[in-house]
Amino acid sequence: AIHSFPTRRSSDLRALAADGDAALRLAALQSLADLGAAEGAQPLADALARPASSPGERDALLAAAEKLGERLAAGGKTAEAEILFAALGKQPETHARIAALRGGVAVRGPKAAPELAAALDDPDAKYRGAALKAAAALGDAKTCALIAKKAKGLPPEARAQAVAALARWDDPAARK
């Protein structure tokens, strides 16, 4: 019913996002994400903090949060985007945490470098790889130096991953 009303106001959808019916609540949250509505940031973050009624609902919430966060960041609504990226970063799913890293870089640029360096301590190689890729995409000398310094104190597997990433980085700090 919600998707059949493409002009539905985001304030109406936000009210429906608090509905007791899980399917209606999810549809409202997805619609807010589809609209790129800043009003959907906090309700989506709140929904991620609660247990989902099913794995399908969980996946849909994560996808909606990532979509809305990306849209808000692209539209310059960084405070609202940060709410979603912070919520995604607290999730156990690797893909959600990677979305949070990418979102942090999109919103904060080089100021996200300490977060990317801290991600190198994570036991998940895929997550570490995403952090290294995001750091390389920033391309600035300070981020490179921070990653190079961090690599020296990492366990062997993580250090090897960081060194391999630094070898592809075109910056003198990467070779130190």
Side-chain angles (χ1 to χ4, degrees):
I2 290 174
H3 292 292
S4 65
F5 298 107
T7 58
R8 189 148 203 149
R9 291 189 345 226
S10 58
S11 60
D12 294 338
L13 291 170
R14 185 173 176 160
L16 291 172
D19 194 88
D21 179 87
L24 185 58
R25 187 173 55 247
L26 178 60
L29 290 168
Q30 289 174 314
S31 293
L32 286 164
D34 289 343
L35 292 170
E39 299 88 351
Q42 193 59 58
L44 259 170
D46 293 344
L48 288 174
R50 293 187 299 269
S53 61
S54 70
E57 179 190 16
R58 176 99 177 127
D59 291 343
L61 286 171
L62 290 169
E66 183 176 357
K67 177 192 275 187
L68 183 55
E70 288 172 354
R71 287 183 174 193
L72 293 172
K77 296 182 179 177
T78 58
E80 294 87 348
E82 282 280 15
I83 290 169
L84 290 167
F85 295 136
L88 285 166
K90 294 176 185 172
Q91 305 309 307
E93 294 87 352
T94 300
H95 70 278
R97 295 184 315 119
I98 289 171
L101 280 177
R102 286 194 318 257
V105 169
V107 170
R108 294 188 305 279
K111 291 179 182 173
E115 180 183 346
L116 297 173
L120 299 181
D121 289 322
D122 197 273
D124 187 326
K126 189 173 181 179
Y127 183 70
R128 289 192 310 265
L132 289 165
K133 186 175 180 178
L138 286 173
D140 67 299
K142 285 184 179 182
T143 300
C144 182
L146 182 62
I147 298 298
K149 182 179 178 182
K150 178 74 175 184
K152 293 175 184 177
L154 293 173
E157 181 187 347
R159 184 173 341 132
Q161 194 176 14
V163 168
L166 287 165
R168 294 185 297 273
W169 205 318
D170 188 26
D171 189 288
R175 293 181 270 291
K176 289 185 180 182

